[in-house]
Amino acid sequence: MIAELTIENIGGLRGKNKYQLESGKLNIIKASNAGGKTSLVRGIASVLSIPNNGQYDIFFLREAQKLGIKTDERNPRESLVNIHARIAKAELKYGETFESYELEKNGNYLRLPSKGDQRFLFAGLLSGSSKVLRQLDGMDEENEPDDFLWAVTRLSNAKNYDDISEHLKTSREDIAERKTRTEKELERISSLESDKKNLEHELEVIEDKLTELEPKFRKVSPDLIARRKNTGREIEKQTKEIGKKKGELSKSEQEANNMAGNVEKTKAEIKKIEDDLKNIDLEYSKGLVEKKIEEINREISNLKKARTEIEGKLSLFQIAQVELRERKDEVKCPLCGDGTISFNEITENLEELRKKKNGFNANILDLNQEKSKLERSFVELKEKKTNIETSLESRKTTLNNLMNAQKSKERDTNQLHFDIERIEKKIEDLNQKLEKLKQGINPEDEKINNQYSELEKERAQISIRIGEILEKLKQTSIEVQGISVDLKTAIEISEKSMKTMDHCIEYCRTKAEEQRRKASERFNTHIKKLMENLRFEEFRTVKLNNEYKLYVERLNPETGDYVFQQVRSLSTSEKLSVALILQLALKETYIPDTRFFILDEIIEDFDEERGKEILDYLEKKAGETDWFVIVTKLTEEEKPLYIDIRGE
Amino acid sequence: MNLEELEKRIDKLARSRTPNGKSIERFISEILKEIVEETLNDS
């Protein structure tokens, strides 16, 4: 199958460039130094990896930036878009599939592919900047050379289960906290219930006494008693009313106090936020960051120039090496053109130049990392400022609402004070009336009358206290998920919720681990198959162990035995071989249906024989799987970038 | 709450390519609301 590839203004490839790729074949992108090979690879990788919402997740975004795929809006010179252009485009058309990615220099996208899979960045492309190679070289910021937990977590569904589990844990903590609060409230209420019960008992005793005294009291003066009793009842009613109002007043004053506290607290928060805002000088920070980045860019540019020079020399020696292998004698020195040079000298020179190139790569990587850090810190600062501003706005709105509520509460409180005063006056009048009524009674009757009055007074007081308790008990519901429920039900709901959360957390933990295990098993199976096919005889075993660490058994040339070898102590070429195996296994494990696999500037770093073996294997692999296998190759030909298609 | 059913819902959420914080929070909120309703219906 033919794939039509259009690359427009990406990296060094200016204008519209059309290419054809063929599935089931080895597509070798050939060009001289700075001929646009990596730009073309970045174009393909971007259209295959950018998600359909245009946003890489943070883990993938960092990788996209490292691979030069994601436009960095604050540093257009490093963007995917060609320096002289405003818009870049990558299009890929094969079979029924048409995917297009079009973006502006400032990072805004104009068109997005529909099936981009961000895992392609980690699983479908191997270049000198790829995570696998960075890690094996000990140059990854996040993982030790042998730590591949990220691969079985981030590229499988395990990460999703981990994320769900984290949210569940937070919710569970909130629920547990609510349960504790509710239990305390319930405890307080239980004591109120018990007080109410005691008061009700006391009330019963008083009622009994009153009933007992009633016949004697009735004889005192039926008319007087009737009027007195009515007045007494009215006093009792008004006293209850005043109790209720006082309860409401106490609640209202408490709420007003809380509101005043909240108003003060919010004012203090606003002041603190405003102070924080004053301390963030974005313009100043931007100036500093830009200055530093400019310095780093200059340094990178110098290093790249020096690396290009080394690469030029490397090419000359590689050509000389090929020439010498065919002629088996000495050739002219490729650098000076005078004198002759032997095969061994060329090999030594090549080794020396590769080391230098690796040194430059390492320095460039360090500088790029430093630059990313600076850029990240500036973005974080900017985000922090925006968050603070949003928070300030929200606090101001809260303050406004609080002050309005406070005013309304003050009105309610004043009304209650007024009502209480009015009822107190009424009670006073009633008491005076009662006193007058008492004057028409003789001493014996008065004694009975007093006894009766005392009991009635006591009854009224107890009734008030019961009324107050009932009022407090009414205020004891709690809102759970937007529904108001009583405290016991709230506790029951909390317990059920926590139990359910526990079950879900455990389920997510088990599933995440299961996903990791399965991914690791699949990964190891693919590695094993690749080892059989590639026949890298210096290794017997390459696999992930139970802790997802890379385990390598390497041939000891002195004893002829295979022994465990620390990843960090493998030689550069051995690391490259392991990286190739891992990259192919990642591809087959995580994105088996993606039809593209790319090696950028990798083949040249193997010695010629192994490079040829790998190309032969990739050609066979492409034929078996019908993948588009793409490799870049440096040539000395004086012609523009072209694609050489190899295979049956 | 049917735990088996719940596990299926978690699987569905985890299978969506990258469940973000909002979709997870929405899922948890739905579960908690169902627990409240179930408890109130039972009592």
Side-chain angles (χ1 to χ4, degrees):
Chain A
M1 180 187 290
I2 299 291
E4 305 283 348
L5 171 68
T6 307
I7 298 289
E8 194 173 332
N9 295 327
I10 289 187
L13 288 173
R14 202 173 168 195
K16 197 173 196 173
N17 300 276
K18 291 195 166 198
Y19 306 97
Q20 279 197 343
L21 301 165
E22 204 170 331
S23 69
K25 302 278 171 68
L26 190 56
N27 298 268
I28 307 173
I29 302 172
K30 291 184 173 175
S32 57
N33 247 327
K37 300 184 293 296
T38 298
S39 299
L40 191 136
V41 166
R42 281 157 71 192
I44 301 173
S46 63
V47 77
L48 290 172
S49 66
I50 183 96
N52 58 12
N53 63 2
Q55 305 291 323
Y56 288 106
D57 292 338
I58 184 71
F59 181 71
F60 295 88
L61 175 68
R62 285 205 294 267
E63 191 66 6
Q65 286 174 339
K66 283 200 165 76
L67 295 171
I69 284 167
K70 182 67 190 160
T71 299
D72 184 340
E73 63 189 46
R74 280 161 295 106
N75 189 8
R77 280 164 296 182
E78 287 293 310
S79 81
L80 191 66
V81 185
N82 177 276
I83 190 162
H84 302 292
R86 197 176 62 80
I87 295 171
K89 195 198 275 186
E91 279 180 359
L92 204 47
K93 185 172 182 280
Y94 55 97
E96 298 294 308
T97 306
F98 175 70
E99 294 281 59
S100 177
Y101 180 39
E102 197 174 335
L103 82 161
E104 293 180 311
K105 195 186 268 303
N106 61 9
N108 288 341
Y109 44 80
L110 304 172
R111 193 185 285 187
L112 288 162
S114 59
K115 291 175 192 153
D117 186 341
Q118 50 188 353
R119 292 177 301 174
F120 185 83
L121 300 177
F122 289 99
L125 163 67
L126 181 64
S127 78
S129 311
S130 291
K131 169 100 175 161
V132 169
L133 205 47
R134 281 201 317 273
Q135 205 182 315
L136 294 179
D137 275 341
M139 292 168 78
D140 189 65
E141 297 155 328
E142 287 161 5
N143 297 97
E144 289 294 310
D146 61 348
D147 178 12
F148 278 81
L149 179 63
W150 65 269
V152 292
T153 303
R154 297 278 184 172
L155 303 184
S156 76
N157 261 348
K159 176 71 175 65
N160 294 355
Y161 284 103
D162 284 345
D163 284 348
I164 297 170
S165 175
E166 281 311 307
H167 281 266
L168 286 165
K169 280 178 190 164
T170 312
S171 280
R172 194 201 181 281
E173 278 170 20
D174 291 345
I175 295 165
E177 200 260 333
R178 185 182 72 203
K179 183 175 169 256
T180 313
R181 261 190 296 123
T182 318
E183 279 169 345
K184 276 187 188 156
E185 186 63 11
L186 194 65
E187 214 173 284
R188 192 180 69 84
I189 284 166
S190 302
S191 100
L192 281 178
E193 294 272 13
S194 138
D195 289 351
K196 182 175 152 253
K197 218 172 182 179
N198 291 339
L199 286 170
E200 279 169 349
H201 178 70
E202 279 181 43
L203 196 64
E204 265 174 41
V205 172
I206 290 170
E207 291 285 0
D208 287 349
K209 283 183 185 171
L210 278 169
T211 313
E212 202 184 314
L213 208 58
E214 181 87 25
K216 288 181 191 171
F217 185 65
R218 206 179 285 277
K219 279 180 196 163
V220 175
S221 165
D223 175 48
L224 209 58
I225 287 163
R227 281 163 62 198
R228 196 197 163 287
K229 207 171 183 178
N230 285 342
T231 312
R233 274 190 193 138
E234 185 58 22
I235 290 174
E236 192 185 324
K237 190 182 153 200
Q238 292 300 328
T239 318
K240 268 187 190 168
E241 180 65 14
I242 214 167
K244 194 181 154 204
K245 292 279 180 193
K246 279 184 176 171
E248 283 174 26
L249 180 65
S250 145
K251 188 187 159 205
S252 182
E253 282 176 339
Q254 183 60 43
E255 282 171 358
N257 273 346
N258 290 345
M259 279 174 183
N262 285 338
V263 165
E264 286 312 309
K265 198 177 145 204
T266 311
K267 279 181 182 169
E269 281 170 358
I270 287 173
K271 190 171 177 314
K272 192 180 172 298
I273 293 170
E274 283 171 341
D275 288 346
D276 286 350
L277 259 183
K278 274 183 207 159
N279 290 334
I280 297 177
D281 186 345
L282 267 188
E283 280 308 307
Y284 177 70
S285 306
K286 192 181 174 191
L288 278 184
V289 169
E290 279 177 350
K291 197 173 162 208
K292 187 73 191 152
I293 285 178
E294 213 172 293
E295 282 169 21
I296 293 174
N297 280 339
R298 262 201 303 277
E299 222 173 311
I300 289 176
S301 167
N302 289 339
L303 284 169
K304 280 186 177 168
K305 265 186 211 157
R307 187 179 62 183
T308 310
E309 206 176 301
I310 295 285
E311 281 169 346
K313 287 180 186 173
L314 256 176
S315 320
L316 291 174
F317 275 106
Q318 277 167 347
I319 292 164
Q321 195 184 37
V322 174
E323 206 177 311
L324 200 57
R325 184 168 289 157
E326 284 162 5
R327 286 173 35 194
K328 307 280 179 201
D329 58 5
E330 290 186 333
V331 290
K332 272 188 183 172
C333 171
L335 289 186
C336 59
D338 295 331
T340 53
I341 192 161
S342 70
F343 186 80
N344 279 349
E345 281 168 331
I346 286 178
T347 312
E348 277 166 20
N349 272 310
L350 274 172
E351 189 59 31
E352 188 61 31
L353 287 167
R354 276 184 189 132
K355 266 187 200 161
K356 276 188 187 169
K357 186 185 166 190
N358 285 342
F360 282 130
N361 283 341
N363 287 339
I364 290 170
L365 190 67
D366 283 347
L367 286 167
N368 275 327
Q369 281 170 357
E370 198 185 327
K371 205 164 76 177
S372 298
K373 264 188 202 162
L374 277 169
E375 286 161 356
R376 270 208 301 277
S377 70
F378 181 68
V379 171
E380 277 164 13
L381 190 67
K382 215 164 138 187
E383 279 170 0
K384 192 180 167 190
K385 192 178 177 197
T386 312
N387 288 342
I388 291 176
E389 282 168 347
T390 313
S391 163
L392 183 62
E393 273 313 301
S394 135
R395 290 284 193 291
K396 280 184 176 169
T397 312
T398 310
L399 181 63
N400 208 17
N401 293 340
L402 275 171
M403 286 168 82
N404 285 339
Q406 198 184 17
K407 273 182 198 159
S408 151
K409 193 49 74 184
E410 271 170 20
R411 279 197 294 276
D412 291 352
T413 311
N414 287 341
Q415 182 61 43
L416 283 166
H417 274 298
F418 175 76
D419 290 349
I420 289 169
E421 219 171 280
R422 185 178 49 79
I423 298 169
E424 276 174 348
K425 176 81 180 55
K426 200 169 183 181
I427 291 173
E428 204 183 314
D429 291 347
L430 285 166
N431 276 327
Q432 278 174 8
K433 191 179 168 189
L434 197 63
E435 278 308 308
K436 276 183 191 167
L437 286 169
K438 280 180 188 172
Q439 283 169 10
I441 304 170
N442 69 37
E444 190 53 33
D445 287 347
E446 196 181 342
K447 194 182 158 193
I448 294 168
N449 199 38
N450 285 347
Q451 246 181 319
Y452 199 85
S453 295
E454 279 305 310
L455 285 169
E456 276 184 323
K457 215 168 156 186
E458 235 176 291
R459 181 173 66 179
Q461 277 170 356
I462 290 173
S463 298
I464 291 170
R465 284 170 62 195
I466 291 175
E468 284 173 351
I469 289 175
L470 284 172
E471 196 58 33
K472 282 183 187 165
L473 287 174
K474 260 196 224 166
Q475 299 158 12
T476 53
S477 62
I478 189 168
E479 207 163 275
V480 183
Q481 294 300 114
I483 297 170
S484 183
V485 295
D486 65 75
L487 298 181
K488 279 186 183 163
T489 312
I491 291 172
E492 191 188 342
I493 289 168
S494 297
E495 279 166 355
K496 274 190 189 172
S497 304
M498 282 159 69
K499 208 174 152 194
T500 309
M501 298 284 112
D502 285 340
H503 179 86
C504 293
I505 291 165
E506 179 56 22
Y507 181 71
C508 285
R509 194 194 61 75
T510 315
K511 284 295 281 191
E513 196 45 35
E514 182 189 304
Q515 297 285 316
R516 278 189 271 271
R517 289 266 165 246
K518 279 187 185 166
S520 176
E521 279 166 21
R522 284 204 309 274
F523 191 54
N524 283 336
T525 307
H526 287 302
I527 291 177
K528 205 174 167 191
K529 273 190 205 157
L530 285 161
M531 295 278 288
E532 283 164 13
N533 289 322
L534 279 163
R535 291 187 191 153
F536 290 169
E537 279 162 6
E538 66 268 41
F539 304 114
R540 182 170 63 188
T541 312
V542 175
K543 66 173 187 181
L544 293 191
N545 67 14
N546 289 339
E547 290 165 337
Y548 313 115
K549 302 250 171 171
L550 191 62
Y551 176 87
V552 176
E553 279 179 354
R554 176 182 160 279
L555 179 70
N556 180 343
E558 287 167 16
T559 62
D561 291 335
Y562 284 94
V563 288
F564 165 70
Q565 176 90 23
Q566 290 281 0
V567 173
R568 63 176 75 245
S569 63
L570 290 170
S571 73
T572 307
S573 61
E574 285 166 346
K575 280 176 188 165
L576 201 59
S577 301
V578 173
L580 178 75
I581 294 168
L582 296 180
Q583 196 65 60
L584 274 160
L586 284 172
K587 157 85 180 77
E588 302 214 59
T589 306
Y590 295 109
I591 48 168
D593 299 331
T594 300
R595 300 189 56 189
F596 290 80
F597 182 72
I598 306 174
L599 295 182
D600 183 26
E601 292 193 347
I602 292 294
I603 296 299
E604 287 92 338
D605 288 337
F606 284 105
D607 67 47
E608 202 185 329
E609 200 178 327
R610 173 138 302 174
K612 189 180 170 306
E613 280 169 16
I614 291 168
L615 287 178
D616 289 345
Y617 172 73
L618 289 174
E619 188 183 325
K620 192 172 138 222
K621 184 81 191 166
E624 284 167 8
T625 55
D626 205 28
W627 288 353
F628 295 90
V629 175
I630 298 163
V631 297
T632 61
K633 199 166 167 59
L634 179 74
T635 65
E636 286 305 307
E637 296 168 86
E638 290 296 323
K639 62 181 201 177
L641 181 150
Y642 67 100
I643 300 177
D644 185 12
I645 295 174
R646 238 178 79 174
E648 287 302 312
Chain B
M1 176 150 291
N2 183 336
L3 294 177
E4 221 169 280
E5 192 60 36
L6 188 57
E7 288 169 2
K8 278 185 195 161
R9 285 162 69 181
I10 293 176
D11 288 337
K12 193 178 164 198
L13 181 65
R15 270 198 304 272
S16 59
R17 194 174 278 177
T18 48
N20 57 29
K22 271 187 192 167
S23 63
I24 301 175
E25 287 303 322
R26 202 165 43 239
F27 165 76
I28 294 174
S29 175
E30 276 170 20
I31 301 292
L32 294 177
K33 204 155 197 172
E34 284 171 31
I35 294 173
V36 173
E37 279 163 9
E38 200 179 271
T39 312
L40 291 177
N41 286 340
D42 289 350
S43 62

